[in-house]
Amino acid sequence: MKKRIAVLISNKGTGSNLAAIIDAVKIGEIPNAQIIVVVSNKADAQGLMHANKNKIPTEILDLSSYKTIHKSREDYNRDLARILIKKYDPDLIVLAGWMIILSETFIQNFTNKIINLHPGLLPDGKDSYVYLSNGAKIKAIRGLHTDMAVKYALDHHYPASGSTVHFITAKVDEGPVIIRGEVPILPKDTVATLYSRMKIKEHEILPLAVKLFCEGKLHIKKGKIEIS
Ligand code: GRF
């Protein structure tokens, strides 16, 4: 049976990681998977174009409209979970540029079934530091949105930055790490040049993490991932 994947995107991104997953499924790199829905927070998210082109159903759930009618963030989370469970019954939820922090109740509905792509290198669990491939230790970049996370690495003169695919838990940016994609920082790098290389890496690591999940190769042992 094919694994049913829901991808959550937002109008803050370009949808390039969604496109990378769609392509990987299409060319058979992730053979046992099917993208069953793309959810966006806004109707003008660029990524919806990729969903429409590939005839993937879409759902728009706008948090600001909840605020207008005095409904809470928890109402939003509850409705999002309800739509996903009742209409789509996903095996995996991929956050690919999704910007809304999901509530604990939402996450409990999908334990060990939600993965996130984070534009910084993260350690396992709540450690403050992460080790680069050359052994250098850098402070983990947590809690910052994309451009700010990329800028942080440059401002702090890190030798490298990168992105991380991890399972999400109620603690933001602290879930078990599946893959880190390290990207060296070059002397003349700007946010734009560094981020463009990070994205190339993201387009490799996110589909790979999805593939490993769909093949049942990811095992969480004591808060860490073991790949079989
Ligand atoms: C990615 O760079 C990811 O690290 C961050 O949001 C961005 C989404 O990019 N969480 P795109 O929309 O897939 O191009």
Side-chain angles (χ1 to χ4, degrees), residues 13-18 96-97 99 116-119 146 163 195 199 202:
T14 64
S16 69
N17 284 287
L18 165 66
M99 297 291 177
N116 178 47
L117 175 63
H118 176 75
T146 314
S163 301
Y195 187 41
K199 290 201 71 162
E202 290 185 340

Side-chain angles (χ1 to χ4, degrees), residues 19-40:
I21 304 171
I22 293 175
D23 288 347
V25 171
K26 266 211 296 217
I27 63 172
E29 231 170 68
I30 312 174
N32 49 347
Q34 176 189 5
I35 303 173
I36 46 154
V37 64
V38 171
V39 180
S40 171

Side-chain angles (χ1 to χ4, degrees), residues 151-166:
K151 186 173 180 299
Y152 187 98
L154 288 172
D155 289 349
H156 290 77
H157 308 289
Y158 284 1
S161 191
S163 301
T164 306
V165 186
H166 64 102

Side-chain angles (χ1 to χ4, degrees), residues 151-218:
K151 186 173 180 299
Y152 187 98
L154 288 172
D155 289 349
H156 290 77
H157 308 289
Y158 284 1
S161 191
S163 301
T164 306
V165 186
H166 64 102
F167 280 102
I168 72 159
T169 58
K171 295 251 158 71
V172 177
D173 299 338
E174 288 188 9
V177 169
I178 303 169
I179 313 174
R180 289 182 199 95
E182 190 177 313
V183 175
I185 295 181
L186 307 176
K188 289 198 174 146
D189 261 336
T190 60
V191 169
T193 58
L194 174 57
Y195 187 41
S196 69
R197 294 203 311 288
M198 283 168 59
K199 290 201 71 162
I200 294 170
K201 192 60 109 181
E202 290 185 340
H203 302 158
E204 291 166 22
I205 63 173
L206 186 59
L208 177 56
V210 172
K211 176 182 162 75
L212 291 169
F213 180 97
C214 293
E215 290 171 345
K217 291 188 173 165
L218 300 176

